[in-house]
Amino acid sequence: LRNTRYRPKHAILGSRDHMCIHPKVNPTIAKAKGSVNANDKKSSSDVNHGCSKLNKERKCVYRNNLEDSSGKKGSSSSVNNFGPGHEQPILDMEDLVSMGKQQKLCPFYHTRSFIKDAE
C-alpha cells in the first residue's frame, strides 16, 4: 500500500505479545533485538496478563500517555490527527512499535482507536 496512491482508513491489529512496549511486561520488545537474554523472554499469556493488570490498575505509562494525548486532557497528538486533508500513514507493526517507543505511546491500544473508522 505504501507504493500506491490508495490510502484507506485502516487499523493494524496485533497481539500484546508483539506490540506491548512496557519493559516490565514485555522485555523482548522493549529492548533492542540484539540485547535480549533467554531469561527475559515471557510467554504470551504472561504478557497478556501483565498488560491487562497494569491497565486495570492504570499503571501503564504508555497507555496513560495515549489517553492523555488523545484529548482527555485537552491536548492533541500528531499521531491521532488525521482529519480532512490529512492522510493516515501506512504503517506496519514494526513501525507502530518504533513510533510507540519514540513517542512513549502504547501501539497496542493506539491501533484499536482506528477500528471503528477502518474501511
Side-chain angles (χ1 to χ4, degrees):
L1 282 175
R2 286 184 190 161
N3 296 330
T4 68
R5 293 179 52 194
Y6 181 57
R7 293 292 181 253
K9 292 184 179 180
H10 63 283
I12 305 296
L13 300 179
S15 67
R16 287 180 174 105
D17 191 37
H18 292 107
M19 298 181 88
C20 179
I21 59 173
H22 197 287
K24 290 183 181 177
V25 174
N26 199 355
T28 306
I29 296 293
K31 290 183 178 181
K33 291 200 179 221
S35 65
V36 177
N37 296 328
N39 296 336
D40 288 341
K41 294 186 180 191
K42 293 189 176 187
S43 71
S44 294
S45 61
D46 289 341
V47 173
N48 282 329
H49 177 72
C51 179
S52 295
K53 184 178 178 186
L54 281 179
N55 281 295
K56 284 179 186 172
E57 297 171 355
R58 305 239 343 114
K59 291 183 179 178
C60 179
V61 67
Y62 301 99
R63 173 84 187 267
N64 295 342
N65 287 344
L66 179 65
E67 289 176 355
D68 292 347
S69 71
S70 67
K72 284 195 173 184
K73 294 191 177 179
S75 63
S76 65
S77 171
S78 61
V79 296
N80 289 329
N81 192 14
F82 306 130
H86 290 87
E87 291 182 350
Q88 181 180 359
I90 304 295
L91 302 172
D92 59 18
M93 264 199 256
E94 291 82 11
D95 295 334
L96 287 168
V97 168
S98 295
M99 182 254 343
K101 288 178 182 178
Q102 182 181 41
Q103 297 184 6
K104 304 218 182 323
L105 299 172
C106 177
F108 178 77
Y109 285 103
H110 175 67
T111 59
R112 268 120 186 99
S113 67
F114 297 125
I115 291 174
K116 73 175 187 174
D117 295 328
E119 295 177 1

